[in-house]
Amino acid sequence: MEPEPPGGRGVIGLDEEATLVVVDYGAGNLRSVQRAIGAAGEQALVTSDRRDVERASALVLPGVGSANDAMKRLRALDLVEPLRAYAASGRPFLGVCVGLQLLFDWSDEGGGVDCLGIVPGTVRRFEADLAAGRKVPHMGWNSVHVTRPDPFVEGIADHSYFYFVHSYYAVPTNPADILGETQFGLPFAAMVARENVVATQFHPEKSADLGLRLYRNFAVRARGTATV
Amino acid sequence: MLTRRIIPCLDVSGGKVIRGVKFSADRVVGDPVELAAEYNRQGADELVFYDITASAEGRGLIMEVLERAAGEVFIPLTVGGGVKSADDVKALLRAGADKVSVNTQAVLDPAIIADGADRFGSQCIVLSMDVRWNGERGYYEVVTHGGRRPTGMDALEWARRGVELGAGEIVVNSIDADGTRAGYELTLTRLIAEAVPVPVVASGGANAPDDMYRVLTEGRADAALAASMFHYGDFTVDQAKRYLADRGVPMRQRARVPA
């Protein structure tokens, strides 16, 4: 995957004090995530500067493509330790698609790569099964079983549909970290939530109104945390 | 359960939506972004913008269309038509496309598939092929330049090769069926859908929801693309999806967000 050149800093919306940070490491869906956050009525700071990560009151880690490339770029931008420290600080963290996979210890992609190690578990590849009609990538709208209540999924009915495009899936060591489960030959973690960290394997920014609702839920929760 | 997808296609020329019948007799039908927003409201699962602008000066307009659409419509957007290089792919992705489809250029230079997949990921490279039954020699032949030029290439072999090169999805457009509204080419669609490990989108010939039902069941397609059927208001996307869901085809129900 070819990186978009990190664009430095840019505030979306009007509020100069915006502290919802979207990490810009050249992920292909960065702009879509930006647009969706804007359409959800929220403001964000798009940045590749580690000092902004350190200062953020809420953070979104987007991602499309391969986990190896993503880790390579996060390392090159010196963002790996700041992201780990941010997650450990208890502030709200949202990972999207590859941004979910990066949270885990390890991904099998491209011969294997160490990831951020924020949520215990590994990332594996789906096996295509033409006889069973299972094609990889898992591409399209699939339903998500919400396993427990959480402020992130407020207003989202159980078994709602979201848009997925991925060939790898996360296997959390602790099943209690799974917030949403989806069937694709086998059940896999469509949403993960552990303490202050939440993540979706699907693309909320491509999942119409329900996806925008998730960004809004995340931002609202983040503001709640910030005022405590 | 993973649903089958219903994909309205907007043929765009000089920034306007048009629809040709057998690639001729174009009729202007509307503003692409307005139509895109309307299809999103009706529950479209994705949208395709197909740029058929002939003139060089009109080509930049597709970027504006994409940028406007991507700011309003939060479902996957695919763009195709006239894509000549991996740099074109990059420009379209930057403008707001989630996937880019390559057709004639991929036949002329298959490296565009590999190059695009390497640089941007297989998930955003769609191989779109126009296919016509060659009655003389008895095979499905890939054609280019909007159906005018035969290539001598077998459609199934080209689909397999495209996947090897890195295409993440295949669109099979039957030139025999395109714009005739006589139903999809079921045999061709099934032949390819059963042979490749990536999703296959059926295109060309949709006239009614039952055509979609047949191509998604008998034709084994993962998604059905249609233009005229929706543009002229004969059926809404919602009506088509309800028809399919009633007959057991897995469909995404239209999203409703509680206040």
Side-chain angles (χ1 to χ4, degrees):
Chain A
M1 285 278 290
E2 180 173 292
E4 290 276 308
R9 304 175 86 221
V11 178
I12 311 305
L14 302 170
D15 186 357
E16 293 285 322
E17 298 301 306
T19 46
L20 168 58
V21 155
V22 181
V23 181
D24 177 7
Y25 62 98
N29 62 339
L30 175 73
R31 283 155 178 256
S32 303
V33 169
Q34 255 178 263
R35 289 185 188 106
I37 290 172
E42 302 294 336
Q43 296 156 6
L45 172 68
V46 176
T47 181
S48 48
D49 188 331
R50 59 176 293 163
R51 289 166 302 182
D52 291 324
V53 169
E54 286 157 7
R55 281 196 294 259
S57 63
L59 180 143
V60 179
L61 184 64
V64 161
S66 89
N68 317 44
D69 286 344
M71 283 306 297
K72 221 178 281 174
R73 282 186 250 154
L74 289 175
R75 278 194 295 267
L77 289 164
D78 201 16
L79 285 172
V80 170
E81 282 314 316
L83 286 170
R84 285 180 176 143
Y86 176 89
S89 74
R91 287 168 285 168
F93 189 126
L94 169 63
V96 174
C97 193
V98 172
L100 173 146
Q101 298 174 7
L102 296 178
L103 294 172
F104 289 85
D105 298 313
W106 170 264
S107 168
D108 286 345
E109 190 159 13
V113 59
D114 279 317
C115 296
L116 295 171
I118 290 167
V119 179
T122 57
V123 176
R124 295 179 193 153
R125 191 178 162 83
F126 284 122
E127 297 297 330
D129 183 348
L130 268 183
R134 190 165 68 249
K135 299 183 169 189
V136 176
H138 172 227
M139 182 192 286
W141 297 81
N142 204 333
S143 61
V144 175
H145 166 51
V146 178
T147 57
R148 59 183 150 90
D150 189 282
F152 182 62
V153 290
E154 204 178 305
I156 305 294
D158 195 13
H159 299 292
S160 290
Y161 286 91
F162 293 92
Y163 189 80
F164 292 82
V165 187
H166 61 125
S167 299
Y168 289 78
Y169 65 98
V171 184
T173 305
N174 182 357
D177 291 341
I178 298 173
L179 175 61
E181 197 171 71
T182 290
Q183 290 289 336
F184 187 58
L186 46 86
F188 71 91
M191 288 192 284
V192 165
R194 181 184 171 89
E195 296 164 1
N196 55 312
V197 177
V198 63
T200 66
Q201 178 57 68
F202 53 82
H203 289 277
E205 68 280 5
K206 288 289 151 187
S207 297
D209 295 352
L210 291 184
L212 298 185
R213 175 68 192 249
L214 290 179
Y215 280 116
R216 193 149 56 86
N217 285 350
F218 176 72
V220 166
R221 177 168 125 178
R223 276 199 297 275
T225 312
T227 56
V228 169
Chain B
M1 187 177 203
L2 185 63
T3 66
R4 304 300 171 110
R5 290 169 279 148
I6 299 303
I7 309 177
C9 175
L10 297 87
D11 287 351
V12 181
S13 179
K16 291 274 178 219
V17 173
I18 63 158
R19 178 61 191 163
V21 176
K22 286 216 171 192
F23 294 97
S24 64
D26 294 334
R27 294 171 55 183
V28 174
V29 296
D31 174 62
V33 180
E34 273 173 36
L35 258 178
E38 174 56 26
Y39 288 142
N40 179 41
R41 279 191 291 275
Q42 292 178 11
D45 295 311
E46 297 186 23
L47 292 171
V48 171
F49 294 98
Y50 203 73
D51 185 14
I52 55 172
T53 306
S55 65
E57 59 270 28
R59 292 205 60 89
L61 291 171
I62 194 70
M63 299 288 181
E64 280 173 40
V65 167
L66 267 176
E67 279 178 18
R68 282 199 292 140
E72 280 185 39
V73 180
F74 292 92
I75 57 176
L77 306 176
T78 300
V79 64
V83 178
K84 296 250 187 303
S85 67
D87 285 339
D88 288 351
V89 174
K90 181 176 185 171
L92 292 164
L93 293 173
R94 287 187 67 106
D98 298 291
K99 304 187 239 183
V100 174
S101 75
V102 291
N103 188 328
T104 295
Q105 187 61 27
V107 172
L108 300 175
D109 178 18
I112 191 177
I113 300 173
D115 198 13
D118 276 357
R119 286 173 62 180
F120 314 110
S122 281
Q123 83 288 338
C124 65
I125 304 298
V126 179
L127 174 59
S128 177
M129 55 174 79
D130 294 333
V131 181
R132 172 174 281 157
W133 174 250
N134 181 325
E136 217 168 285
R137 293 178 45 211
Y139 76 114
Y140 286 107
E141 182 175 18
V142 177
V143 294
T144 61
H145 299 84
R148 294 189 303 275
R149 204 170 296 181
T151 64
M153 289 161 63
D154 177 84
L156 178 57
E157 281 171 25
W158 179 225
R160 285 188 167 131
R161 173 101 177 100
V163 173
E164 277 168 29
L165 287 166
E169 188 167 71
I170 306 278
V171 175
V172 181
N173 184 46
S174 165
I175 293 295
D176 302 306
D178 188 74
T180 62
R181 308 183 68 181
Y184 295 94
E185 228 283 21
L186 301 178
T187 311
L188 167 68
T189 308
R190 180 169 184 156
L191 181 75
I192 293 175
E194 287 188 331
V196 296
V198 302
V200 168
V201 181
S203 165
N207 184 49
D210 196 58
D211 296 327
M212 293 181 159
Y213 176 74
R214 294 189 66 191
V215 86
L216 295 172
T217 52
E218 287 170 58
R220 300 279 201 272
D222 297 279
L225 183 146
S228 336
M229 180 180 139
F230 296 135
H231 292 343
Y232 298 129
D234 302 347
F235 297 94
T236 64
V237 176
D238 194 32
Q239 284 171 334
K241 290 178 77 169
R242 267 185 286 141
Y243 179 94
L244 293 162
D246 286 348
R247 282 153 188 80
V249 180
M251 283 282 131
R252 171 177 71 114
Q253 306 304 316
R254 198 143 53 129
R256 296 214 189 280
V257 184

